[in-house]
């Protein structure tokens, strides 16, 4: 071997060691890439991942409530809460229940399952009834939704059906999705209708006295005036006759 080749062979391990140290140092000092923004919350993807919510997803699509929830979530700081009935819950409804509803009624039904604020599991114990849903008016014959708790059990009642929160599907501090074992049927669509307003009372009729008839007062007054006129005229004529006779006797 030549002296030049021996020098390179002797220095090769040091060159490799230097290269390794340099590469490791650069890798440690290079800043890590900044994490990208989290993807927007999507209720549809959450329910698809959880499975067993095919019917609810179909109604979300028909009514556009799914898009509405996603939009509100990404433009509001209040958050939202969704009560999600399973496919088994929808199957338990009477045959033709959903098909009998108009598009507006389907929208009201699904909006009734959505609260416009984020509710954690611990907050259910301190809520005031009735809850305000996206369906609107929460008075008795419209869209009342009440919550009660017993230990860790959360029950919901609509006045038509009682349901239980069976599981937490998703929660991130902005959106909470809870599985419920029954479809929440609102009073406005499935409950008894409010009682009809009482009819206005009829005008009170005065009781007739003995001898009274139904002759209008104006007619009675007119008749009385005519009689008085005739009596007065007869008296005047007889007065003239009496005066004439008295003159003859003079």
């Amino acid at each position: 071997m030549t002296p030049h080749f021996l020098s390179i062979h002797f220095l090769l391990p040091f060159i490799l060691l230097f290269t390794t140290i340099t590469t490791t140092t650069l890798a440690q000092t290079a800043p890590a890439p900044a994490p990208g923004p989290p993807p927007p919350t999507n209720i549809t993807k959450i329910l698809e991942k959880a499975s067993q919510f095919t019917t609810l997803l179909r109604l979300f699509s028909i009514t556009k409530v799914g898009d509405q929830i996603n939009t509100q979530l990404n433009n509001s700081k209040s958050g939202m809460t969704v009560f999600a009935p399973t496919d088994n819950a929808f199957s338990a409804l009477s045959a033709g229940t959903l098909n009998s509803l108009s598009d507006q009624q389907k929208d009201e039904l699904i909006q009734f399952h959505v609260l416009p604020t984020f509710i954690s599991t611990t907050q259910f114990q301190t809520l005031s009834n009735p809850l305000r849903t996206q369906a609107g008016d929460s008075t008795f014959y419209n869209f009342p939704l009440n919550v009660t708790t017993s230990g860790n059990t959360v029950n919901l009642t609509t006045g038509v059906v009682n349901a239980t929160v069976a599981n937490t599907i998703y929660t991130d501090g902005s959106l909470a999705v809870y599985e419920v074992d029954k479809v929440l049927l609102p009073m406005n669509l499935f409950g008894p209708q409010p009682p009809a307003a009482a009819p206005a009372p009829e005008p009170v009729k005065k009781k007739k006295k003995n001898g009274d008839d139904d002759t209008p007062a104006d007619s009675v007054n007119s008749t009385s005036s005519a009689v008085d006129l005739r009596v007065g005229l007869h008296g005047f004529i007889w007065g003239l006759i009496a005066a004439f006779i008295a003159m003859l006797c003079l």
Side-chain angles (χ1 to χ4, degrees), residues 31-250:
T41 305
N42 190 305
I43 183 64
T44 301
K45 291 183 178 179
I46 292 170
L47 292 175
E48 287 175 346
K49 183 178 180 180
S51 70
Q52 70 175 337
F53 296 101
T54 305
T55 304
L56 181 60
L57 284 168
R58 178 169 60 85
L59 289 170
F60 271 175
S61 177
I62 292 173
T63 60
K64 307 301 182 184
V65 171
D67 294 337
Q68 174 189 327
I69 292 174
N70 292 332
T71 299
Q72 287 185 236
L73 280 173
N74 296 305
N75 291 281
S76 172
K77 296 181 180 179
S78 298
M80 305 192 79
T81 300
V82 177
F83 296 114
T86 62
D87 290 334
N88 288 337
F90 279 103
S91 297
L93 296 176
S94 301
T97 297
L98 294 180
N99 291 334
S100 66
L101 300 177
S102 66
D103 289 344
Q104 178 179 344
Q105 290 172 329
K106 290 177 182 176
D107 181 77
E108 291 173 338
L109 174 63
I110 300 305
Q111 298 279 14
F112 189 59
H113 289 73
V114 182
L115 307 183
T117 54
F118 172 81
I119 306 296
S120 67
T121 53
T122 57
Q123 287 178 301
F124 281 117
Q125 299 179 2
T126 59
L127 294 177
S128 299
N129 289 318
L131 304 182
R132 184 167 66 93
T133 72
Q134 292 277 87
D137 193 343
S138 59
T139 55
F140 183 73
Y141 284 103
N142 288 286
F143 297 94
L145 180 62
N146 296 300
V147 59
T148 58
T149 58
S150 177
N152 293 326
T153 303
V154 178
N155 298 310
L156 302 168
T157 179
T158 71
V160 179
V161 66
N162 298 322
T164 300
V165 174
N167 188 27
T168 300
I169 300 171
Y170 179 86
T171 181
D172 63 1
S174 177
L175 172 66
V177 183
Y178 298 106
E179 174 188 331
V180 290
D181 62 348
K182 293 181 182 178
V183 180
L184 304 179
L185 303 177
M187 288 277 287
N188 185 278
L189 302 180
F190 299 95
Q193 296 301 307
E202 296 182 2
V204 179
K205 294 182 179 180
K206 293 183 179 180
K207 292 184 178 180
K208 299 177 182 179
K209 295 181 180 180
N210 292 336
D212 287 351
D213 55 20
D214 293 330
T215 306
D218 290 344
S219 177
V220 172
N221 292 336
S222 299
T223 303
S224 299
S225 298
V227 171
D228 292 342
L229 180 61
R230 286 198 297 270
V231 171
L233 183 60
H234 289 169
F236 177 73
I237 292 174
W238 281 109
L240 289 177
I241 294 174
F244 181 71
I245 293 173
M247 291 177 64
L248 290 176
C249 293
L250 291 176

